[in-house]
Amino acid sequence: MSICNKKTLLCLAVSGSLFSVSYAANANDHHDHNHHDGEHHESEHRHHDAHVHGVVETNIAQDGDHLLFEITAPGADVVGFEHAPKDDAQKQVLANAVKTLNNPNLIFTLPENAKCTFEEAHVSHNLVNHNDHDDHDHDHDQHDGEHHKEHGKHGEFSAQYEYHCEAISNLDQIETQWFTHFPHTHKMTIQYLGDAGQKAASLTPKSSVITL
């Protein structure tokens, strides 16, 4: 079961609704104000703008003794390509990446005295083939339209992690090892919301700790 289905409040937080001020500042420079095709179009436009090679977005939300991470990363940052694997070598790279992402203890280090226990991970990506030919009875024009739309999407990974922290008041910093495992990434943007307030930071291979 997706973490979002269990932790609706936290999910809303990391989805951006509680970080709208910070995101709006970044999106302002790229948003085309001449296009007003409804909320759906604006949401897709913002998502498209946020997809920048070399930049991974991480939202962290704290609610009581629960801590939830949400990572959005371009495929190029994680595996070096943004399409379905074309050979066995790429399939292995993808499998290794998914395995790493499913182990958040390899990605983040939390203070020991915060007594945080990893509870659940949910990892997904869209680097898959869409060669399902079993639905040819459907309207062919509609199928072609959906197929073209799917291929227009950026290859992307999403990872969500849930922790339970017995002494979350001691959570004063978070360190990431993302750059070690995924060296294609140049920067990780962090948006944090918790008892300590809201904080934004940019981490790099040489500066990989956020102080809360």
Side-chain angles (χ1 to χ4, degrees), residues 72-122:
T72 303
D77 281 48
V78 179
V79 293
F81 51 87
E82 293 200 339
H83 51 73
K86 295 182 177 180
D87 52 39
D88 289 342
Q90 289 189 345
K91 288 179 181 179
Q92 188 60 52
V93 169
L94 178 58
N96 290 342
V98 171
K99 183 178 180 180
T100 299
L101 288 172
N102 270 297
N103 188 349
N105 292 328
L106 296 177
I107 307 296
F108 294 105
T109 299
L110 308 178
E112 288 187 12
N113 60 352
K115 299 181 180 179
C116 295
T117 302
F118 164 64
E119 292 194 339
E120 187 177 355
H122 180 72

Side-chain angles (χ1 to χ4, degrees), residues 16-210:
S17 60
L18 297 182
F19 301 113
S20 56
V21 175
S22 297
Y23 276 123
N26 292 329
N28 238 10
D29 295 336
H30 301 92
H31 189 70
D32 185 351
H33 294 285
N34 294 324
H35 291 83
H36 298 283
D37 296 331
E39 293 180 1
H40 181 68
H41 173 78
E42 291 183 16
S43 177
E44 285 189 342
H45 189 72
R46 283 196 298 270
H47 186 70
H48 177 77
D49 284 349
H51 184 102
V52 179
H53 291 182
V55 179
V56 169
E57 294 181 351
T58 299
N59 295 328
I60 307 171
Q62 178 239 328
D63 180 38
D65 54 6
H66 288 279
L67 194 66
L68 185 70
F69 292 72
E70 182 184 68
I71 302 172
T72 303
D77 281 48
V78 179
V79 293
F81 51 87
E82 293 200 339
H83 51 73
K86 295 182 177 180
D87 52 39
D88 289 342
Q90 289 189 345
K91 288 179 181 179
Q92 188 60 52
V93 169
L94 178 58
N96 290 342
V98 171
K99 183 178 180 180
T100 299
L101 288 172
N102 270 297
N103 188 349
N105 292 328
L106 296 177
I107 307 296
F108 294 105
T109 299
L110 308 178
E112 288 187 12
N113 60 352
K115 299 181 180 179
C116 295
T117 302
F118 164 64
E119 292 194 339
E120 187 177 355
H122 180 72
V123 177
S124 62
H125 64 83
N126 60 358
L127 277 66
V128 295
N129 284 309
H130 296 276
N131 295 325
D132 186 358
H133 298 291
D134 296 330
D135 298 322
H136 276 262
D137 291 336
H138 291 301
D139 183 351
H140 193 69
D141 290 338
Q142 180 181 357
H143 176 76
D144 285 348
E146 292 176 352
H147 188 68
H148 181 268
K149 181 180 179 181
E150 187 68 29
H151 276 271
K153 292 182 180 179
H154 289 288
E156 195 167 75
F157 284 78
S158 175
Q160 295 177 327
Y161 307 133
E162 181 185 350
Y163 290 84
H164 175 263
C165 303
E166 294 182 15
I168 202 162
S169 60
N170 292 326
L171 185 71
D172 55 0
Q173 69 173 36
I174 298 172
E175 182 178 3
T176 185
Q177 289 76 44
W178 177 278
F179 303 101
T180 300
H181 298 288
F182 306 113
H184 292 290
T185 302
H186 304 302
K187 180 172 71 173
M188 174 183 279
T189 62
I190 302 284
Q191 300 286 343
Y192 171 82
L193 183 67
D195 289 345
Q198 181 175 339
K199 185 163 186 176
S202 293
L203 304 183
T204 66
K206 293 183 178 180
S207 179
S208 58
V209 179
I210 177 173

